[in-house]
Amino acid sequence: MIEEGGKRGKAAVEKRQLFMEMRAQNFDVIRLSTYRTACKLRFVQKRCNLHLVDVWNMIEAFRDNGLNTLEHHAEINVSRLETILSSVYYQLNKRLPTTHQINVEQSIGLLLNFMVATYDSESHGKLTVFSMKAMLATMCGGKIVDKLRYIFSQMSDSSGVMVFTKFDQFLREVLKLPTAVFEGPSFGYTEHSLRTCFPQQKITLNTFLDILMADPPPQCLVWLPLMHRLANVENVFHPVECSYCRSESMMGFRYRCQQCHGYQLCQSCFWRGHANGPHSNQHQMKEHSSWKSPAKKLSHAISKSLGCVPIGEPPHPVFPEQAERPQEAPHNVVLESPSRLDEEHRLIARYAARLAAEAGNSTQQCPPSDLSFNFDANKQQRQLIAELENKNREILQEIQRLRLEHEQASQPTPEKAQQNPTLLTELRLLRHRKDELERRMSALQESRRELMVQLEGLMRLLKDEEQKQVSQPGGSPHSSPGHGAGCSMPMPIRSTSAGSTPTHTPQDCLAGVGGDALEAFAQGVPRNLRNDLLVAADSITNTMSSLVKELHSVDDGPDEEETDVRNGGERGTMRVQKQ
């Protein structure tokens, strides 16, 4: 009971920690709810290190943990959820270089508590499989088109058409994310959320992607593509001065007023609603996610005016209309590396064909003098596409090779040890024996230290006795150590420094010492025990030396040899092999 209470307390602290850190970022000063929601969810994504997990790796983790065999309404407890998250993060650390490893336990704790707080508000201790898939597929890293393809595969039937009831369930689950970061009034689930997304009756994959990746997307999901745009512009630099804060450079988004000439704002000033001069917050602003030099803008404008290049790029590749199987199924080939390579090559080829067709149509509109130029441009484009395909294939093969080498190098046990279980057993026994000898050596060192303290006291007593005998040749009854006042109650010996004077009686210093020394002082007959004490010290030293030799024989023996190990008079022989 106490242990469970401690776990709950730790979980509550970790949950509060994430939200306290989010409040410290002061996102609530952002004026527009769309940007505010996207910034908060992006913070949670980065704080839990989910931005490092690609959607394909997340789908692979679902498959490895058997979630593809469960129904969407099936429930899993928090313990199994923690196991799934552990496999995700430990696999992530295997892919990351050693200099960029993450704190797995902290990431698991933060994400687990966030998911429980979001999807288990009534504290049942269980989450549905669909809610977990929807949350992790939405909040992980990767391209938005890949995420939406996977989400569609979870909501479509065998003919490749979306089931509206499943999409409605997806909206219920995914819109709990804005509610969890206190943006429920703006983006919480309502009865009209489904109708505002798809007015059509038959929704295929391409229609689904067209609507959700449109500009603007459906209002209830407008924060989702914005969160991906935020990730893409975090390190984008604009060499432009902000018209409000006068910062000479901008990072992230850049906003240009469509009415005020030359008026531009950085994302911080625009998000907070700052304005000065003739500019007003009611003016229309255009968002820029990159910087183009004036020369590049001019060349692009000339190319568009001539009509010899396609205007804009398609928002996503056009996929075949046949039904797509769920991408996490074991028999699905999407996740396999060769199939993914083939799919990328097909997409590149399809796009190249589209470019060639558009270029062919544009040649009919261009003047005759430009036909040779267009032909050369199309030829150069095809050559460039072929080169890019070859380069892409080489890069993916190199990535696969490096991944295999990394996995082989990160094996926890040597190859020889894996092939010889007997050797592993002997190594474990040897380590255990070594630990026992080290403990024995520590105990003997402590005994030697205590005995040396006692020897020091005895030597000082002998020196005092010799001085008394020299000063009082006749002796005195009170000078005998055996008749002192403290004979009846021996006390433990206390160590003294080299320059201090003992404050205890001779019998006090004999406590714990037996043999000839105790007998000599008990009889009151002064004996010269200097040699005996030195012999005793030498014996202790020899014992320690023998033990150290045994330890060195265990650590520094040859690759394979017979080694004698002594412990308490018993002798055993074991075969030692160094790793």
Side-chain angles (χ1 to χ4, degrees):
M1 295 293 291
I2 296 177
E3 185 176 356
E4 292 180 359
K7 290 182 179 179
R8 292 195 190 99
K10 181 180 179 181
V13 170
E14 290 177 347
K15 175 185 174 182
R16 289 195 300 268
Q17 175 187 354
L18 180 62
F19 288 104
M20 288 174 63
E21 291 178 2
M22 186 177 66
R23 288 193 180 96
Q25 300 296 318
N26 202 19
F27 292 124
D28 291 330
V29 301
I30 299 177
R31 181 170 56 97
L32 301 175
S33 61
T34 304
Y35 288 97
R36 192 168 59 243
T37 304
C39 287
K40 289 181 178 181
L41 292 177
R42 174 64 178 167
F43 172 80
V44 174
Q45 182 191 47
K46 295 181 66 176
R47 187 66 181 85
C48 297
N49 289 312
L50 275 176
H51 66 296
L52 302 175
V53 183
D54 189 80
V55 61
W56 297 106
N57 300 123
M58 189 65 72
I59 296 171
E60 189 174 3
F62 293 160
R63 183 186 62 181
D64 293 342
N65 287 274
L67 297 182
N68 56 318
T69 61
L70 300 178
E71 297 292 337
H72 285 173
H73 56 80
E75 293 182 339
I76 59 174
N77 54 29
V78 177
S79 299
R80 185 172 181 186
L81 175 60
E82 184 175 5
T83 302
I84 297 171
L85 298 182
S86 300
S87 66
V88 171
Y89 284 115
Y90 280 111
Q91 289 296 325
L92 171 63
N93 255 357
K94 290 183 179 180
R95 295 189 297 269
L96 294 176
T98 55
T99 56
H100 293 76
Q101 297 287 294
I102 65 170
N103 188 335
V104 174
E105 297 298 331
Q106 185 184 49
S107 301
I108 294 172
L110 291 174
L111 181 57
L112 181 65
N113 285 285
F114 179 76
M115 294 183 67
V116 171
T118 304
Y119 294 101
D120 188 28
S121 57
E122 299 181 358
S123 301
H124 293 307
K126 294 182 179 180
L127 279 74
T128 63
V129 173
F130 188 67
S131 62
M132 187 196 66
K133 287 182 178 180
M135 186 273 176
L136 293 177
T138 303
M139 293 293 291
C140 68
K143 298 180 180 179
I144 186 172
V145 63
D146 295 332
K147 294 183 180 182
L148 294 177
R149 285 183 62 199
Y150 170 71
I151 291 171
F152 183 83
S153 69
Q154 300 297 300
M155 301 180 301
S156 58
D157 56 15
S158 58
S159 60
V161 178
M162 188 185 72
V163 180
F164 279 85
T165 56
K166 291 184 177 180
F167 179 74
D168 182 68
Q169 182 63 28
F170 168 74
L171 285 180
R172 291 176 184 269
E173 301 298 339
V174 78
L175 293 181
K176 291 179 181 179
L177 292 172
T179 304
V181 294
F182 314 107
E183 296 297 333
S186 300
F187 297 105
Y189 176 82
T190 62
E191 299 177 348
H192 308 288
S193 299
L194 178 62
R195 286 188 295 237
T196 58
C197 293
F198 298 108
Q200 300 95 331
Q201 295 297 324
K202 182 179 179 180
I203 305 297
T204 59
L205 173 60
N206 291 314
T207 307
F208 180 79
L209 295 177
D210 288 339
I211 293 176
L212 292 189
M213 298 183 66
D215 189 17
Q219 180 60 30
C220 60
L221 295 174
V222 68
W223 50 270
L224 180 57
L226 178 58
M227 187 174 70
H228 287 77
R229 296 206 307 273
L230 281 173
N232 294 330
V233 303
E234 284 182 346
N235 299 317
V236 173
F237 174 77
H238 305 269
V240 183
E241 182 184 34
C242 178
S243 300
Y244 183 85
C245 67
R246 300 302 177 184
S247 175
E248 296 182 355
S249 60
M250 302 181 189
M251 293 293 293
F253 286 121
R254 173 171 57 91
Y255 297 88
R256 183 165 56 88
C257 182
Q258 301 298 292
Q259 298 182 25
C260 305
H261 176 71
Y263 192 90
Q264 300 189 82
L265 293 176
C266 63
Q267 67 177 20
S268 178
C269 294
F270 176 74
W271 289 355
R272 286 160 175 78
H274 295 324
N276 58 346
H279 178 70
S280 171
N281 288 329
Q282 304 302 321
H283 292 180
Q284 183 180 2
M285 303 289 286
K286 185 175 182 180
E287 181 183 274
H288 294 272
S289 58
S290 62
W291 165 257
K292 292 182 180 179
S293 63
K296 187 178 292 185
K297 290 180 181 178
L298 179 61
S299 63
H300 188 68
I302 293 174
S303 300
K304 289 173 63 177
S305 63
L306 292 176
C308 296
V309 296
I311 301 176
E313 295 183 356
H316 63 84
V318 178
F319 298 99
E321 294 296 334
Q322 66 266 21
E324 283 200 348
R325 295 182 181 274
Q327 297 177 2
E328 63 181 3
H331 53 267
N332 188 16
V333 297
V334 177
L335 291 173
E336 301 300 329
S337 299
S339 299
R340 289 184 62 182
L341 293 176
D342 295 340
E343 183 181 4
E344 291 181 1
H345 296 159
R346 287 196 299 271
L347 293 177
I348 294 174
R350 189 182 298 116
Y351 184 59
R354 181 183 298 175
L355 286 177
E358 292 177 353
N361 295 332
S362 62
T363 56
Q364 300 176 2
Q365 303 174 0
C366 294
S369 59
D370 294 335
L371 290 178
S372 60
F373 172 77
N374 292 336
F375 179 78
D376 295 337
N378 293 334
K379 183 177 180 181
Q380 293 177 358
Q381 287 180 356
R382 287 193 295 271
Q383 291 177 352
L384 179 60
I385 290 173
E387 293 176 358
L388 291 176
E389 285 183 350
N390 294 331
K391 191 66 176 177
N392 181 44
R393 188 182 300 106
E394 292 176 0
I395 292 175
L396 291 175
Q397 290 176 354
E398 182 68 15
I399 291 173
Q400 185 68 16
R401 184 184 64 81
L402 293 175
R403 181 176 297 176
L404 291 175
E405 291 181 356
H406 178 72
E407 292 178 354
Q408 293 174 0
S410 61
Q411 291 297 326
T413 56
E415 183 178 358
K416 294 182 178 179
Q418 290 181 352
Q419 297 176 358
N420 193 350
T422 305
L423 180 58
L424 283 177
T425 305
E426 292 181 354
L427 289 175
R428 283 195 293 268
L429 293 175
L430 180 59
R431 293 192 187 99
H432 180 69
R433 181 61 175 167
K434 179 182 176 182
D435 294 339
E436 290 182 354
L437 291 176
E438 288 178 350
R439 289 194 295 269
R440 181 184 172 194
M441 186 179 71
S442 300
L444 287 177
Q445 286 178 344
E446 182 66 21
S447 301
R448 181 177 180 273
R449 186 185 64 80
E450 295 177 356
L451 188 54
M452 292 304 294
V453 173
Q454 295 176 358
L455 291 175
E456 181 185 358
L458 291 176
M459 294 296 292
R460 196 174 299 279
L461 286 177
L462 291 174
K463 184 177 180 180
D464 292 343
E465 286 298 323
E466 290 176 357
Q467 292 177 357
K468 288 181 181 180
Q469 289 176 5
V470 172
S471 61
Q472 298 179 3
S476 173
H478 300 285
S479 64
S480 175
H483 299 282
C487 292
S488 60
M489 297 181 64
M491 299 295 291
I493 295 176
R494 292 172 294 180
S495 63
T496 58
S497 61
S500 62
T501 303
T503 58
H504 40 257
T505 62
Q507 284 292 342
D508 293 336
C509 294
L510 296 176
V513 180
D516 295 337
L518 182 59
E519 180 182 358
F521 283 100
Q523 294 175 357
V525 179
R527 292 179 55 184
N528 187 4
L529 298 179
R530 186 184 303 273
N531 293 333
D532 295 339
L533 296 176
L534 292 176
V535 169
D538 291 339
S539 177
I540 295 174
T541 304
N542 293 334
T543 304
M544 293 297 298
S545 299
S546 64
L547 183 59
V548 171
K549 288 180 180 179
E550 291 181 7
L551 288 175
H552 284 299
S553 67
V554 173
D555 293 334
D556 303 327
D559 290 341
E560 184 171 354
E561 65 177 2
E562 296 289 336
T563 304
D564 290 339
V565 181
R566 296 177 176 84
N567 184 11
E570 296 181 357
R571 175 175 302 186
T573 303
M574 65 173 64
R575 187 175 299 273
V576 182
Q577 183 171 353
K578 293 176 64 177
Q579 289 185 343

